[in-house]
Amino acid sequence: MNTNTLLLRQVHSAFVKDDRVASIAFRPTPKDEKQLSVDNGDNITAEQSYNKFVSNPNCSSIGVLAVSKKECDNEALSVIEDGVPYKEHCSINFSGLTKKETETKAKILRDKAVARNWLFKRI
């Protein structure tokens, strides 16, 4: 992974209202243990990532947005190439941040991703 690597994030329909993506799409939930799930865009395309994600009956997505590793680095968010539950999987680490810091960084990542536009979107 290099600084230009895109980290692919699935976006649930509940996180989009009036075509505006909410920052919660880039904020880990309590069950995520402060780790935001993404895929390494060097190893999988946005469409492949989407198809892999929605093939799980418990998972839903309307499309894929992305932030770069550099954008995470700029926010002091480390990226962990964990390879679990599949080899392309990574996590953006929000541990050690307060709730307010997490929300602020999630908004910044959301803004970067939205500026980049959808890499894949279900029609």
Side-chain angles (χ1 to χ4, degrees):
M1 179 179 304
N2 62 62
T3 59
N4 295 319
T5 298
L6 292 179
L7 304 168
L8 311 175
R9 177 71 179 154
Q10 301 300 323
V11 179
H12 191 280
S13 61
F15 300 155
V16 180
K17 184 171 181 172
D18 298 327
D19 288 330
R20 177 150 168 77
V21 179
S23 63
I24 193 170
F26 286 87
R27 188 170 70 223
T29 63
K31 73 172 178 57
D32 298 324
E33 299 178 358
K34 301 227 175 200
Q35 306 294 310
L36 186 72
S37 181
V38 293
D39 286 345
N40 182 331
D42 289 344
N43 299 329
I44 192 168
T45 68
E47 185 174 3
Q48 290 168 333
S49 174
Y50 170 85
N51 288 330
K52 180 176 273 205
F53 186 77
V54 299
S55 70
N56 181 332
N58 297 323
C59 297
S60 177
S61 173
I62 62 166
V64 180
L65 290 171
V67 293
S68 71
K69 168 121 175 16
K70 182 176 184 174
E71 290 162 346
C72 291
D73 292 345
N74 289 345
E75 296 305 317
L77 296 169
S78 61
V79 178
I80 303 163
E81 294 183 78
D82 50 34
V84 176
Y86 47 87
K87 66 180 181 166
E88 301 89 3
H89 189 269
C90 298
S91 296
I92 300 173
N93 186 6
F94 283 77
S95 63
L97 300 177
T98 66
K99 181 179 179 183
K100 183 174 171 51
E101 290 169 330
T102 297
E103 290 170 354
T104 298
K105 290 182 186 288
K107 286 177 186 175
I108 292 167
L109 293 183
R110 182 268 323 265
D111 292 348
K112 298 286 186 186
V114 167
R116 184 172 281 110
N117 211 343
W118 294 96
L119 300 185
F120 178 80
K121 193 167 183 191
R122 182 184 70 208
I123 299 172

